Amino acid sequence: MTHFLFDGSEPAPVTILLAHGAGAPMDSASMAATAKALATVGFRVARFEFHYMAARRYGHRKPPPRAETVNPEYIKAIADLRAKGVTGKLIIGGKSMGGRVASMVADEMFAKGEIAGLVCLGYPFHPPGKPEQLRTKHLLGLKTPTLIFQGTRDEFGTKDEVATYGLSNAIEMIWLEDGDHDLKPRKAISGFSTGDHLKTVAETTAAKFAQPSASSF
């Protein structure tokens, strides 16, 4: 059974399932702050770890695997979350690699009625310094309603680059001024704090996804 960390009210009508990025665990400061911000606007948030990251807690230093190889782990997390009694509308997503994996399973889960949307935080459109190595093929025809929050300083995909990708109309890009890959801005330069950007993430996500669906699981 997948182990989850929960934030927010248990009877919340909408739950968001979040996976971590390649290098930091589900209880990192960034993931915790994001979960808290989403819980503040009324979501229940569940965080989980892929096996390689969970193994690090027991001294097994495993490198991040190829993202597509952990797709089954994300699908299992969805099933395990339901098995724990979480009902109602479900949004999936994650930070960087976690969001990428969620995006690769989203249409299958959306078509089955298992999920209602996708939220990606700092999508890794390409490795830093390698803009030719795109990770966008599956995003061109994506059908799942999607929000991607991206900092304008993100080395994994700049605003000018993303504008040329021809992403699906189901994807709404939200650009956060001066944010890096962790959505963190330089306040002295931008006037924004990380808290400001996380508030935007939470409020924008609520505006799009906070209404419960007509049916529940």
Side-chain angles (χ1 to χ4, degrees), residues 5-33:
L5 292 178
F6 288 100
D7 291 87
S9 173
E10 187 168 335
V14 184
T15 299
I16 299 181
L17 178 62
L18 293 178
H20 55 85
M26 64 180 176
D27 56 356
S28 68
S30 175
M31 288 288 290

Side-chain angles (χ1 to χ4, degrees), residues 7 9-11 25 43 60 100 109 123 184 187 206:
D7 291 87
S9 173
E10 187 168 335
F43 291 107
H60 303 292
R100 183 184 173 204
M109 296 292 100
Y123 188 88
K184 183 177 180 180
K187 189 167 186 178

Side-chain angles (χ1 to χ4, degrees), residues 168-179:
S168 163
N169 290 333
I171 298 173
E172 183 178 353
M173 292 293 307
I174 308 297
W175 291 96
L176 300 172
E177 185 63 35
D178 199 55

Side-chain angles (χ1 to χ4, degrees), residues 82-156:
R82 293 301 192 192
K84 289 183 73 69
V86 175
T87 60
K89 186 173 176 179
L90 179 63
I91 310 301
I92 64 171
K95 172 75 183 74
S96 191
M97 186 189 85
R100 183 184 173 204
V101 175
S103 73
M104 288 190 284
V105 304
D107 272 2
E108 177 187 350
M109 296 292 100
F110 184 66
K112 292 179 178 179
E114 293 284 348
I115 68 168
L118 171 69
V119 175
C120 299
L121 307 165
Y123 188 88
F125 288 101
H126 60 73
K130 298 178 180 179
E132 72 284 355
Q133 294 184 19
L134 291 179
R135 299 158 171 165
T136 57
K137 185 176 180 180
H138 68 289
L139 300 179
L140 305 185
L142 195 72
K143 295 180 175 61
T144 307
T146 300
L147 291 174
I148 297 180
F149 295 93
Q150 199 85 350
T152 59
R153 286 192 297 123
D154 195 330
E155 295 180 332
F156 289 75

Side-chain angles (χ1 to χ4, degrees), residues 28-78:
S28 68
S30 175
M31 288 288 290
T34 300
K36 182 178 179 180
L38 289 166
T40 297
V41 297
F43 291 107
R44 192 176 192 206
V45 183
R47 289 174 274 162
F48 79 99
E49 287 180 342
F50 298 117
H51 294 161
Y52 83 92
M53 182 62 72
R56 293 183 180 184
R57 297 182 182 275
Y58 303 98
H60 303 292
R61 294 294 300 179
K62 296 184 177 182
R66 292 179 62 86
E68 57 271 19
T69 66
V70 296
N71 289 0
E73 293 183 41
Y74 207 117
I75 292 172
K76 183 177 186 296
I78 294 171

